[in-house]
Amino acid sequence: LKLAYGTKTQSCFSDEELFQQPPPREDCPICFLPLPLQNKGMNYQACCGKLICMGCIFAVMFTEIENGHLRGLCPFCRETEPSNAEALERTRNRAAKDQPNSIHQLGAYYSSDDQGVPQDYQKAIELRLRAGELGNASSYFSIASTYAMGLGDVKKDMAKARYYFELAAMGGDVQARHNLGGFELREGNFDRAMKHFVISAAVGFDDSLTTVQWGYKNGHLTKDDFRKALSAHKKAQDEMTSEQRDLAAKLFHPGMNKNLGEVDGAQDEMRKSVQRDLAGKLFRPGATKDLGKVKKKVGKVKKKG
């Protein structure tokens, strides 16, 4: 059993606060399904500032491929992807207007040396604190990860890491909730650990469900609670699943299904590199014979799915 970060620390909140049910997830503005649990299944669109699931992004791309010309239109605003300079300017403008997703994204730029922004983890923390206060739970998770790993000039501090994991978990971040279960498990607090894992499993997080199963087999969870967790997990997964999303995951994320929960900036860069590689090698506008290969590749993926 692989555990999350762990060194002995104390919870910063009461159990009533910590174990409350998480708020509902934000929906994709195109398909209106709950956004995926991890960043690899969605993308921040700098053109309009929206978080859009990869299924909807793929659907537009596939339509363009079918029509013989890939333009890379945004599914929401229908603009083409802005240049790095334009993306940075638009994100900064939205951040100045207290748009939490844009502030979070700007923090990701600073943490990952992206879009021409010099790497500055302290600035990233500053921005993410602001985004977290405005309701972006992922920002608290990113801050926690920075302290947990001691990135750049930020000193490793597990007490601070736990504090921000707790803020993130209470705001609905499932990876943060799972990590808190790891803290409790390492400290031998099995009942508290299972409470965390059950909450994150119930909203569809696979790693937590695996740990819940381990807890049931080892006598740390009742049969009734295990059944409830299984049922809730399936319901949450069903609500987030679509044929478009499944196909997008197979095409855009080969081999990238694990270990992407550390830092949002790294996730964004890995996702972009895959998209750019596919776009550059397979989806070249006007390359008719290449387009035929792409259609054939997509057809094979559909059949396998």
Side-chain angles (χ1 to χ4, degrees):
L1 179 66
K2 183 179 179 180
L3 301 181
Y5 312 113
T7 192
K8 197 165 183 61
T9 55
Q10 295 295 318
S11 175
C12 303
F13 299 91
S14 69
D15 283 1
E16 184 179 359
E17 294 173 299
L18 193 56
F19 293 113
Q20 63 185 329
Q21 290 303 307
R25 293 192 59 74
E26 183 180 348
D27 291 341
C28 171
I30 306 298
C31 64
F32 300 109
L33 296 177
L35 285 168
L37 296 176
Q38 294 182 305
N39 282 355
K40 63 182 179 179
M42 56 186 157
N43 192 60
Y44 171 82
Q45 300 293 101
C47 46
C48 55
K50 300 294 184 182
L51 282 176
I52 299 177
C53 77
M54 291 304 297
C56 289
I57 292 173
F58 165 78
V60 171
M61 184 177 288
F62 182 66
T63 300
E64 292 177 351
I65 293 169
E66 289 284 279
N67 292 335
H69 183 59
L70 185 76
R71 293 186 292 166
L73 292 179
C74 171
F76 187 83
C77 69
R78 313 304 291 180
E79 288 190 27
T80 55
E81 183 180 359
S83 67
N84 284 356
E86 290 172 334
L88 178 59
E89 182 180 4
R90 292 187 187 192
T91 302
R92 277 179 167 160
N93 289 340
R94 290 192 181 93
K97 296 176 181 178
D98 287 341
Q99 209 285 332
N101 288 338
S102 296
I103 300 171
H104 173 70
Q105 186 65 29
L106 191 57
Y109 292 160
Y110 275 99
S111 70
S112 60
D113 190 20
D114 195 14
Q115 305 294 80
V117 174
Q119 192 169 59
D120 186 337
Y121 285 106
Q122 296 294 346
K123 181 65 175 179
I125 288 175
E126 177 187 327
L127 287 163
R128 285 164 167 166
L129 276 172
R130 187 171 147 220
E133 290 167 358
L134 290 169
N136 189 298
S138 296
S139 288
Y140 285 137
F141 174 80
S142 298
I143 295 171
S145 298
T146 302
Y147 280 117
M149 293 183 285
L151 297 176
D153 60 346
V154 178
K155 186 178 179 180
K156 184 174 181 178
D157 189 326
M158 295 309 296
K160 286 184 178 180
R162 180 163 187 161
Y163 172 73
Y164 287 109
F165 277 137
E166 289 182 341
L167 283 176
M170 291 187 293
D173 190 287
V174 292
Q175 181 69 60
R177 177 71 66 181
H178 182 81
N179 283 10
L180 291 177
F183 276 116
E184 298 291 359
L185 209 55
R186 280 179 180 255
E187 294 166 12
N189 302 324
F190 295 106
D191 288 344
R192 291 176 63 83
M194 287 301 121
K195 285 183 180 180
H196 283 301
F197 292 130
V198 165
I199 290 173
S200 47
V203 293
F205 195 54
D206 292 336
D207 289 350
S208 290
L209 184 65
T210 299
T211 313
V212 166
Q213 185 177 19
W214 173 88
Y216 169 62
K217 288 181 177 179
N218 288 273
H220 303 303
L221 200 68
T222 67
K223 188 174 184 179
D224 185 53
D225 286 340
F226 179 51
R227 284 178 174 173
K228 288 179 180 177
L230 278 175
S231 178
H233 177 271
K234 183 181 184 306
K235 181 181 178 182
Q237 283 284 332
D238 289 345
E239 290 174 349
M240 290 185 290
T241 299
S242 71
E243 184 179 351
Q244 290 178 354
R245 290 184 180 184
D246 289 344
L247 189 55
K250 291 173 184 176
L251 284 173
F252 293 121
H253 301 285
M256 291 176 64
N257 294 324
K258 295 181 179 180
N259 301 325
L260 287 178
E262 300 293 343
V263 181
D264 292 342
Q267 294 177 16
D268 291 340
E269 187 53 40
M270 292 173 80
R271 179 174 57 252
K272 287 175 184 176
S273 70
V274 172
Q275 293 170 356
R276 288 168 185 159
D277 182 63
L278 283 170
K281 293 180 179 178
L282 295 175
F283 300 153
R284 287 175 288 179
T288 306
K289 60 180 181 180
D290 283 350
L291 211 52
K293 292 178 183 178
V294 173
K295 291 178 183 178
K296 188 175 181 180
K297 176 182 175 69
V298 172
K300 287 181 179 179
V301 174
K302 281 185 173 179
K303 288 179 181 178
K304 288 181 181 179

